Amino acid sequence: MKKVVVLDYGSGNLRSAERAVARVGADVTVTSDFDEALNADGLVVPGVGAFAACMEGLKAVKGERIVGRRLAGGRPVLGICVGMQILFDKGVEHGITTEGCGEWPGTVESLEAPVLPHMGWNTVEAPAGSVLFAGLDADTRFYFVHSYGVRTWELVDSALQPPLVTWAEHGDRFVAAVENGPLSAAQFHPEKSGDAGAQLLKNWLGTL
């Protein structure tokens, strides 16, 4: 049984994430312990609320260092919702720019949509070869709750293993998920997305 840590840094649906990952067959611990998070088979970084508050909480437990060191060693990380957003270079909220973890270039900004927040079930456009979305139909819906997102994918594809980027639409297009070697992320909430979310988590667990 794979050991997964849900990183506790004062943000996110910790218990629902814990239950969802445990339900698909992992041994799950919710902790902010540096060594446990560093050495687990998989690390889940959840997140809800404001980008700046999440980054402040993450830095308080040295979470950005945990993520960086895990990725340097090829150890899987899954970001969820704001836990995905903070993996990018920066977030802009209410005119204030906050530095993110910088694992991917790009800016988290307000969506251009007639109704915000974007709250509810949405289909996504997953690319061919996706592992996260394996076994899921194109009309499968996932549960989103957000007003901000990444509207432009800026990372230049490497020749070795180009990232797989999944898109969704609410007003305009935004990044719904990314698969980039050991680093994966979803803007939606797999833990709130029923059977579809469970399948995605099971797929991720299979990569550990």
Side-chain angles (χ1 to χ4, degrees), residues 138-206:
D139 59 356
T140 299
R141 294 177 179 270
F142 298 88
Y143 191 74
F144 290 82
V145 183
H146 65 124
S147 296
Y148 296 82
V150 175
R151 297 165 55 218
T152 304
W153 178 255
E154 298 179 12
L155 180 65
V156 177
D157 289 354
S158 70
L160 296 175
Q161 188 179 14
L164 297 177
V165 182
T166 294
W167 295 86
E169 287 191 21
H170 178 71
D172 59 358
R173 280 163 58 85
F174 62 89
V175 175
V178 183
E179 299 163 68
N180 183 202
L183 184 56
S184 301
Q187 175 62 67
F188 53 85
H189 287 274
E191 77 281 9
K192 295 182 178 180
S193 296
D195 291 343
Q199 181 64 53
L200 182 140
L201 292 173
K202 186 177 180 180
N203 289 343
W204 177 71
L205 196 63

Side-chain angles (χ1 to χ4, degrees), residues 2 32 58 61 68 99 109-110 112 135 141 153 171 174 202:
K2 299 296 185 181
S32 60
L58 192 72
V61 301
E99 282 192 16
E109 58 190 341
S110 179
E112 290 191 357
R141 294 177 179 270
W153 178 255
F174 62 89
K202 186 177 180 180

Side-chain angles (χ1 to χ4, degrees), residues 23 45 78 90 106 110 114 145 162 170 208:
R23 199 173 294 132
V45 182
L78 174 65
K90 60 187 176 181
S110 179
V145 183
H170 178 71
L208 305 189

